[in-house]
Amino acid sequence: MTKKYAVGVDFGGTKVLSAVVNIETGEILASEKKKRKQAKEQDEVVSKICNTIDEALQEANVSASEILGIGIGAAGMTDRENGILLKAANIGSTNVKLAEPLSQKYGVPVQLGNDVEVATLAEKSFGAGVNCDNFLCVFVGTGVGSGVVVNGSILRGHTGVAGEIGHTTLFPDGRLCGCGGHGCLEAYASRTAIAKAIVARIQRGEESVLASQIDESKGIIRSKAIFQALAAGDKLAEDAVRQGAEYLGIGLTSSLTLLNPEKLILGGGLIESVPHYFETAREEIFKRILPITGSKLVIEKSVLGDYAGVVGSALLIVEQYSLHPEKFASHEVEAVSTI
Ligand SMILES: [Zn+2]
């Protein structure tokens, strides 16, 4: 590989972050972030992404011809083959074509993947998963998602959705989940689930310092607010977080028993902002797991934080280069022939 830069795009629920990444070191040369606001339709979404890419390239003083390609990690369901964002989480966009227009504009291959998959790739190359061929990465925030690495490769599954750990069943007749099912792990262990449990308990008359925040934010409580309530010694917040973390531990024990990985890497808003949550989930796992599965299991936090999305997205294109180098060669020929 002669090119040493790629562009990574983190297309999230509220923002678009693009960065020029040194693919050998994971270093970010320049990045540009914009709020997504109303950008929902095809043209608006594409132009928003292009704006951030153009500015990041300019700031890094790198031209489009110097990059290997563009990787996009999107929060939502993606059609990898055709580079289409099928359904974006919390955004309302459907069937947005991303790979084709971006590939035409910049003259390089573009690869689309989901946000958890790219964060897992980033941990594998530059984070807690370095030198580890079998691990499970789980991210807990508004939902619970995971990336599975088996024998050094990301497991994608038959229809590309392997790792939807948040929708494994914890209780057959349990709480309604965002996916339409009942009793999913995500409906018990995510920040959204914990916030809902806190709100319900306050409404039933329990006391909490978070009571005043329910009206202000219409029932939505952020990880930071939960962290502040814990720091203030709020018993209800402590109890709800402990319960959520125990549910996570119970749910993950099943997956760990199935996969027998070397490491479990935990990341996301709740893990980063609420240390108590990580420790409790960890304890719950070691309480339940088969001794032979748990004997050499290492559980640790992800290390890349906010920039895992752009670095991992850039790595998506590196992965494509190693799998399908011919696609990159044809791009070079096309680019030359259009001059
Ligand atoms: Zn579900």
Side-chain angles (χ1 to χ4, degrees), residues 292-305:
I292 187 116
T293 314
S295 61
K296 290 185 179 171
L297 174 69
V298 174
I299 302 181
E300 58 186 61
K301 292 185 187 178
S302 65
V303 298
L304 292 172

Side-chain angles (χ1 to χ4, degrees), residues 79-324:
D79 173 351
R80 282 189 193 79
E81 287 288 297
N82 300 301
I84 299 170
L85 179 60
L86 297 173
K87 196 163 187 273
N90 312 319
I91 301 171
S93 306
T94 50
N95 296 325
V96 178
K97 281 186 200 153
L98 293 178
E100 194 187 314
L102 289 174
S103 183
Q104 272 175 7
K105 175 170 161 64
Y106 296 99
V108 292
V110 176
Q111 182 64 39
L112 189 60
N114 77 40
D115 52 352
V116 173
E117 169 188 5
V118 302
T120 303
L121 274 176
E123 292 294 336
K124 180 173 175 287
S125 296
F126 303 114
V130 169
N131 298 326
C132 186
D133 280 345
N134 291 284
F135 67 90
L136 176 64
C137 251
V138 178
F139 297 90
V140 190
T142 51
V144 178
S146 82
V148 188
V149 173
V150 177
N151 298 334
S153 301
I154 294 235
L155 184 72
R156 296 212 157 87
H158 184 51
T159 59
V161 292
E164 285 288 355
I165 216 163
H167 303 291
T168 51
T169 306
L170 213 53
F171 300 103
D173 300 310
R175 296 176 191 161
L176 180 65
C177 176
C179 72
H182 282 269
C184 297
L185 173 60
E186 184 167 300
Y188 289 84
S190 65
R191 189 245 300 152
T192 322
I194 292 170
K196 273 188 189 168
I198 292 174
V199 171
R201 288 174 62 171
I202 291 171
Q203 284 169 344
R204 283 201 300 268
E206 289 189 49
E207 284 181 13
S208 167
V209 296
L210 290 164
S212 61
Q213 305 213 13
I214 296 176
D215 291 333
E216 287 164 25
S217 58
K218 294 182 182 151
I220 300 165
I221 297 174
R222 313 283 312 171
S223 301
K224 200 176 159 194
I226 298 174
F227 177 67
Q228 285 165 346
L230 290 170
D234 187 90
K235 292 284 172 248
L236 195 154
E238 265 178 28
D239 196 48
V241 167
R242 181 192 50 75
Q243 252 181 14
E246 284 175 1
Y247 285 134
L248 185 79
I250 294 167
L252 293 190
T253 303
S254 304
S255 306
L256 294 165
T257 307
L258 176 72
L259 296 166
N260 185 205
E262 183 183 334
K263 263 189 193 181
L264 167 65
I265 300 167
L266 295 173
L270 268 179
I271 303 290
E272 283 161 27
S273 334
V274 185
H276 178 52
Y277 184 96
F278 173 81
E279 297 304 337
T280 307
R282 191 176 181 283
E283 280 166 24
E284 192 63 34
I285 290 167
F286 282 119
K287 225 192 283 174
R288 290 174 177 272
I289 202 160
L290 283 174
I292 187 116
T293 314
S295 61
K296 290 185 179 171
L297 174 69
V298 174
I299 302 181
E300 58 186 61
K301 292 185 187 178
S302 65
V303 298
L304 292 172
D306 284 352
Y307 284 96
V310 278
V311 174
S313 298
L315 291 170
L316 260 185
I317 208 72
V318 179
E319 184 191 48
Q320 281 303 303
Y321 182 79
S322 65
L323 294 172
H324 306 288

